């Protein structure tokens, strides 16, 4: 077989479909978020970032930076091993305590990323309970899909946010069988929010566990940043909360929070936890500082974040741009064609110094290619005005479809 030829043909196919991804080489500057320097070969230019998941700018907060730097000076760089073999540090334990407190759960468990947390936790839980059935929202993240698949358990997919379809599936499962309902709070490509209370009602009725992915909500919703489940008064009804430290908390890592026994079970059985080196202690310390700040002093940031998102949606809609309906901080704009979607983002970067990544297949279904804007509390009115003006000019130049 011509291996190199196979790889080349596959890449050429992606390019011809408009789905080939090109990474922007950026250099952020402390204190100047959301602005950054773009490197293109030997050239550089200044750009404004509109697609960062560092939703609150905590990746540059002094408390977070100081915690990371101080911990490196105290304990060094790496953790020294897996959590089982010399890799459990004081900083890991402190962070897990902060996370369990955030979600008002008995315990929490750290993973190297949110993807790993979902894959490891779901595959371990469902894969070790005989006869377990996983009921998964059709729009769930790839990491949740991976966990469901790797569990080897029976799965049933319910229509997105459709509690009637979920109940239909639940009612068809033998009552004695273990069941886990797997869903997200904020769906990051459409910006919609799940009916958490109604899902919990069905879980109670049919004796199911609930597993919620709050990665796009932790830090940003609820009076303490516990997520949409906290905001909606449903946090105590959730069996397992999964979250990330890489978005609103501005660092890296993933976690689950649940009962002490469930956490101990996953800790003792999950390959994705047992067989990988733990996060560097400086990273854990920085994340703990971020969680504390966002939980205890973050309400002003949360309120400003929601105002910025609402203001941007209004400005885009007033300009006639096809903003997709969103009840969260995610601001998607429909394009519907991969080649044109990339043309829009190329023009934004090259002509206007605005960085937005095209969202194409397989992240979203073919024909629903879009821009995904993530305003932060730090984006100014001027940043927004320049973005809307640029998009309006591009839409006219490329003769794209305006809002109905």
């Amino acid at each position: 077989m011509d291996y190199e030829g196979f790889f080349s043909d596959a890449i050429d196919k992606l390019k011809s479909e408009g789905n080939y991804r090109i990474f922007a080489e950026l250099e952020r500057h402390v204190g100047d978020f959301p602005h950054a320097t773009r490197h293109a070969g030997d050239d550089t230019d200044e750009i404004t970032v509109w697609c960062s998941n560092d939703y609150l700018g905590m990746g540059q907060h002094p408390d977070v930076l100081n915690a990371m730097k101080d911990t490196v000076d105290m304990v060094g760089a790496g953790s020294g091993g897996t959590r089982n073999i010399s890799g459990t540090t004081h900083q890991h334990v402190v962070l897990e305590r902060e996370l369990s407190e955030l979600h008002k759960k008995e315990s929490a468990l750290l993973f190297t990323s949110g993807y790993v947390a979902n894959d490891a936790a779901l595959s371990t839980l469902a894969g070790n309970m005989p006869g377990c059935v996983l009921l998964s929202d059709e729009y769930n993240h790839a990491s949740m899909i991976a966990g469901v698949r790797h569990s080897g358990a029976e799965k049933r997919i319910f229509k997105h946010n459709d509690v009637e379809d979920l109940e239909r599936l639940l009612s068809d499962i033998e009552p004695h069988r273990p069941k886990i309902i797997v869903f997200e709070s904020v769906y990051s490509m459409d910006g919609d929010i799940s009916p958490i209370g109604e899902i919990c009602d069905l879980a109670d009725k049919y004796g199911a566990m609930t597993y919620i992915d709050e990665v796009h909500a932790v830090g940003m919703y609820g009076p303490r940043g516990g997520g949409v489940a906290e905001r909606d008064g449903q946090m105590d009804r959730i069996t397992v909360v999964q979250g990330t430290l890489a978005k609103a908390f501005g660092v890296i890592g993933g976690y689950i929070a649940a009962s002490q026994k469930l956490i101990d079970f996953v800790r003792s059985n999950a390959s994705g936890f047992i067989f990988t080196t733990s996060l560097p202690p400086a990273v854990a310390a920085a994340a703990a500082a971020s969680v504390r700040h966002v939980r205890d002093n973050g309400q002003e940031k949360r309120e400003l974040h929601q105002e910025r998102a609402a203001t941007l949606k209004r400005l885009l809609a007033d300009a006639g741009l096809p903003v997709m309906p969103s009840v969260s901080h995610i601001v998607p704009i429909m394009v519907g064609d991969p080649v044109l979607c990339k043309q829009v983002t190329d023009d934004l970067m090259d002509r206007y110094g605005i960085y937005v990544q095209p969202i194409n297949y397989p992240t979203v279904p073919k024909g629903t290619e879009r821009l995904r804007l993530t305003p932060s509390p730090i984006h100014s009115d001027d940043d927004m005005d320049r973005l809307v003006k640029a998009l309006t000019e591009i839409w006219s130049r490329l003769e794209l479809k305006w809002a109905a």
Side-chain angles (χ1 to χ4, degrees):
M1 178 177 178
D2 178 7
Y3 297 107
E4 291 299 307
F6 170 81
F7 302 139
S8 179
D9 290 344
I11 293 300
D12 288 343
K13 184 173 184 292
L14 284 175
K15 290 179 177 178
S16 68
E17 294 172 343
N19 291 321
Y20 182 71
R21 303 183 181 200
I22 298 174
F23 298 153
E25 182 182 345
L26 304 182
E27 182 179 359
R28 302 204 301 175
H29 305 290
V30 173
D32 195 30
F33 182 78
H35 307 117
T37 300
R38 177 178 69 144
H39 292 260
D42 294 330
D43 298 326
T44 62
D45 56 340
E46 301 308 304
I47 56 99
T48 302
V49 180
W50 273 101
C51 54
S52 174
N53 285 340
D54 187 359
Y55 291 130
L56 301 178
M58 289 301 295
Q60 301 197 5
H61 193 279
D63 289 357
V64 177
L65 302 184
N66 290 334
M68 183 175 285
K69 290 184 285 189
D70 291 347
T71 306
V72 166
D73 290 340
M74 287 189 298
V75 305
S79 68
T82 67
R83 291 289 293 274
N84 297 297
I85 305 174
S86 78
T88 296
T89 72
H90 177 63
Q91 288 75 21
H92 295 110
V93 175
V94 168
L95 176 53
E96 286 171 339
R97 289 174 184 161
E98 297 288 355
L99 292 167
S100 62
E101 166 61 21
L102 174 68
H103 295 290
K104 295 298 183 183
K105 298 296 184 184
E106 292 177 350
S107 192
L109 189 66
L110 280 174
F111 295 86
T112 50
S113 72
Y115 189 107
V116 173
N118 271 333
D119 189 1
L122 284 169
S123 62
T124 300
L125 290 168
N128 286 280
M129 286 192 289
C132 185
V133 182
L134 288 155
L135 298 107
S136 180
D137 188 290
E138 66 176 330
Y139 283 6
N140 276 342
H141 188 263
S143 58
M144 305 173 84
I145 294 170
V148 169
R149 181 184 301 118
H150 293 157
S151 73
E154 181 182 341
K155 70 175 184 294
R156 303 192 185 183
I157 310 302
F158 62 93
K159 296 175 184 176
H160 178 55
N161 280 349
D162 189 330
V163 291
E164 291 183 2
D165 192 46
L166 174 58
E167 181 163 24
R168 179 184 63 82
L169 295 173
L170 282 165
S171 65
D172 194 42
I173 301 170
E174 298 87 338
H176 68 277
R177 295 182 68 180
K179 298 168 280 287
I180 308 175
I181 303 172
V182 183
F183 63 108
E184 301 181 40
S185 59
V186 177
Y187 287 84
S188 64
M189 291 301 132
D190 292 327
D192 55 342
I193 291 177
S194 60
I196 299 174
E198 294 176 74
I199 291 174
C200 289
D201 289 343
L202 289 179
D204 292 343
K205 181 177 179 179
Y206 291 95
M209 296 169 57
T210 48
Y211 183 107
I212 190 170
D213 177 313
E214 289 257 36
V215 297
H216 291 278
V218 289
M220 295 177 292
Y221 294 87
R224 298 160 61 258
V228 178
E230 183 190 38
R231 183 199 70 178
D232 293 353
Q234 304 295 316
M235 199 158 60
D236 62 324
R237 304 180 71 192
I238 299 293
T239 311
V240 183
V241 177
Q242 183 269 342
T244 184
L245 302 164
K247 293 182 171 60
F249 296 126
V251 193
I252 187 67
Y255 65 89
I256 58 172
S259 69
Q260 191 276 329
K261 289 181 179 179
L262 187 150
I263 292 296
D264 202 16
F265 178 82
V266 174
R267 181 189 70 85
S268 301
N269 290 281
S271 295
F273 174 82
I274 295 170
F275 296 106
T276 189
T277 300
S278 60
L279 290 170
V283 169
S290 184
V291 171
R292 278 192 296 271
H293 178 85
V294 171
R295 183 189 65 210
D296 300 336
N297 303 291
Q299 188 58 21
E300 184 177 349
K301 274 190 174 69
R302 283 187 281 276
E303 292 174 356
L304 181 56
H305 187 239
Q306 291 297 315
E307 180 276 322
R308 293 283 78 189
T311 297
L312 180 61
K313 291 174 191 176
R314 176 178 55 79
L315 292 173
L316 293 167
D318 288 348
L321 292 158
V323 185
M324 298 171 63
S326 166
V327 294
S328 71
H329 59 282
I330 306 295
V331 184
I333 303 177
M334 179 59 68
V335 178
D337 179 275
V339 175
L340 289 174
C341 196
K342 187 175 184 307
Q343 182 63 58
V344 172
T345 58
D346 285 349
D347 280 4
L348 281 171
M349 181 76 96
D350 296 336
R351 294 172 181 253
Y352 301 95
I354 293 172
Y355 176 47
V356 180
Q357 268 287 12
I359 304 298
N360 292 343
Y361 178 83
T363 306
V364 295
K366 291 181 179 179
T368 68
E369 294 81 6
R370 68 198 66 175
L371 310 183
R372 176 182 175 272
L373 306 175
T374 55
S376 75
I378 311 168
H379 282 92
S380 67
D381 288 343
D382 182 60
D383 290 330
M384 291 192 182
D385 289 342
R386 288 192 298 109
L387 171 66
V388 173
K389 183 173 184 284
L391 286 171
T392 302
E393 292 176 1
I394 291 170
W395 242 252
S396 295
R397 184 166 60 250
L398 297 182
E399 299 182 340
L400 299 177
K401 185 177 180 180
W402 297 85

